[in-house]
Amino acid sequence: MKESKIITISEELKNLPFHVIGYTMDVDNNKTEKVKNYFDEVIKDLMNRYQISDVVNIPKLKASRDGYKKLGIDPSRYRLACESLVRRIVKGFDVYRINDIVDLGNILSIKTHRSVCVVDLDKIVGNILIEKGHKEDIYEGINRGLINITNMPAYKDEISYFGTPTSDTMRTAVSDTTKSILVMIICFNDEDLEQDEELLINLYKEYANASNIEKLRVE
């Protein structure tokens, strides 16, 4: 049985406001037509709902952008992952498909309008601290190259930072051998927290046969 983890958020971030919904779980690691078809439906709905000019004014995306601004980050230069994903879809570009685990994280992000962190739980060592990235902190983001994470809300385990709302790292990325995951929804406001949490659980239960589901304590 895996040891339970704790998420600690720095006081500076809590004052933004800033919240995290975090779960660990075991999942089936597949690439199914069921998830592909559902993802296609979600993408079609998003494209029918928004124009590109609407994206920055979607309430939860706007709250995230405003949070970045309060931290001294230009959200147009360092786009949050949720905004980048929505913009890409609304513009009609393809979305990278890896496997069901990653696709469900993207679906969750699209439907909640929040950045979602999905990483391989076995690659996370110890508890998790979320704090402002320090000056000149840099890591390799997934499909993003090198990213300077200064002032971003940065997720850190005992080894190093492994993600921000802009991009997670290659070190903890989900792979074909991943069987257990950490999922975090990054929240810059209090809107729909219970609804978004319920969606997280239901998606992974229905489409990835999630088991041993554990909600992480957030301090």
Side-chain angles (χ1 to χ4, degrees), residues 193-203:
L193 293 180
E194 292 184 4
Q195 177 180 310
D196 292 350
E197 182 173 351
E198 183 177 1
L199 179 61
L200 184 164
I201 296 167
N202 289 341
L203 281 176

Side-chain angles (χ1 to χ4, degrees), residues 106-173:
N106 284 330
I107 290 169
L108 181 61
S109 182
I110 292 167
K111 293 180 76 68
T112 62
H113 298 154
R114 302 189 194 274
S115 288
V116 173
C117 171
V118 182
V119 295
D120 190 319
L121 179 60
D122 292 327
K123 297 175 183 177
I124 301 295
V125 179
N127 291 320
I128 298 158
L129 170 65
I130 303 181
E131 62 179 2
K132 284 177 61 175
H134 302 131
K135 187 176 182 180
E136 303 308 325
D137 281 327
I138 296 174
Y139 65 59
E140 184 181 359
I142 299 172
N143 297 321
R144 295 292 291 262
L146 293 179
I147 298 176
N148 186 325
I149 64 171
T150 303
N151 292 334
M152 291 184 188
Y155 332 137
K156 187 177 187 179
D157 66 359
E158 291 183 4
I159 297 178
S160 64
Y161 291 111
F162 63 88
T164 68
T166 290
S167 178
D168 300 328
T169 66
M170 294 300 298
R171 175 174 74 85
T172 55

Side-chain angles (χ1 to χ4, degrees), residues 168-180:
D168 300 328
T169 66
M170 294 300 298
R171 175 174 74 85
T172 55
V174 169
S175 71
D176 291 342
T177 61
T178 298
K179 295 299 181 185
S180 300

Side-chain angles (χ1 to χ4, degrees), residues 3 5-6 12 43 48 92 99 103 111 121 124 161 169 174 178 186 208 210:
E3 184 178 354
K5 297 187 183 299
I6 299 170
E12 186 175 15
I43 288 172
N48 290 335
N99 53 40
D103 285 354
K111 293 180 76 68
L121 179 60
I124 301 295
Y161 291 111
T169 66
V174 169
T178 298
I186 309 303

Side-chain angles (χ1 to χ4, degrees), residues 1-218:
M1 185 174 180
K2 294 180 175 66
E3 184 178 354
S4 298
K5 297 187 183 299
I6 299 170
I7 299 172
T8 301
I9 302 174
S10 71
E11 291 299 322
E12 186 175 15
L13 290 179
K14 287 180 183 177
N15 292 331
L16 280 178
F18 181 90
H19 312 278
V20 174
I21 300 168
Y23 278 84
T24 59
M25 62 191 75
D26 297 332
V27 288
D28 290 345
N29 190 345
N30 299 308
K31 193 171 184 179
T32 63
E33 286 297 310
K34 183 178 180 180
V35 171
K36 178 186 180 298
N37 291 338
Y38 181 44
F39 203 169
D40 288 343
E41 291 176 11
V42 171
I43 288 172
K44 183 178 180 181
D45 179 70
L46 187 73
M47 292 178 69
N48 290 335
R49 191 181 298 266
Y50 298 109
Q51 300 293 325
I52 191 63
S53 58
D54 300 327
V55 173
V56 295
N57 293 315
I58 296 173
K60 283 189 271 187
L61 287 181
K62 185 178 185 303
S64 299
R65 288 175 60 89
D66 289 346
Y68 261 32
K69 289 175 183 176
K70 289 177 183 178
L71 292 169
I73 305 164
D74 180 353
S76 295
R77 181 180 180 187
Y78 297 101
R79 291 197 190 279
L80 292 106
C82 50
E83 182 184 342
S84 293
L85 181 60
V86 169
R87 290 174 67 88
R88 185 174 185 86
I89 291 169
V90 171
K91 286 181 176 180
F93 296 137
D94 290 335
V95 177
Y96 298 111
R97 303 289 180 88
I98 306 298
N99 53 40
D100 289 354
I101 299 172
V102 175
D103 285 354
L104 289 170
N106 284 330
I107 290 169
L108 181 61
S109 182
I110 292 167
K111 293 180 76 68
T112 62
H113 298 154
R114 302 189 194 274
S115 288
V116 173
C117 171
V118 182
V119 295
D120 190 319
L121 179 60
D122 292 327
K123 297 175 183 177
I124 301 295
V125 179
N127 291 320
I128 298 158
L129 170 65
I130 303 181
E131 62 179 2
K132 284 177 61 175
H134 302 131
K135 187 176 182 180
E136 303 308 325
D137 281 327
I138 296 174
Y139 65 59
E140 184 181 359
I142 299 172
N143 297 321
R144 295 292 291 262
L146 293 179
I147 298 176
N148 186 325
I149 64 171
T150 303
N151 292 334
M152 291 184 188
Y155 332 137
K156 187 177 187 179
D157 66 359
E158 291 183 4
I159 297 178
S160 64
Y161 291 111
F162 63 88
T164 68
T166 290
S167 178
D168 300 328
T169 66
M170 294 300 298
R171 175 174 74 85
T172 55
V174 169
S175 71
D176 291 342
T177 61
T178 298
K179 295 299 181 185
S180 300
I181 57 173
L182 164 68
V183 185
M184 298 191 296
I185 303 178
I186 309 303
C187 310
F188 285 87
N189 63 14
D190 296 331
E191 183 182 348
D192 300 329
L193 293 180
E194 292 184 4
Q195 177 180 310
D196 292 350
E197 182 173 351
E198 183 177 1
L199 179 61
L200 184 164
I201 296 167
N202 289 341
L203 281 176
Y204 281 96
K205 274 187 174 180
E206 180 174 354
Y207 292 97
N209 196 29
S211 61
N212 298 320
I213 301 170
E214 181 178 1
K215 183 175 182 177
L216 300 192
R217 188 167 92 239
V218 179

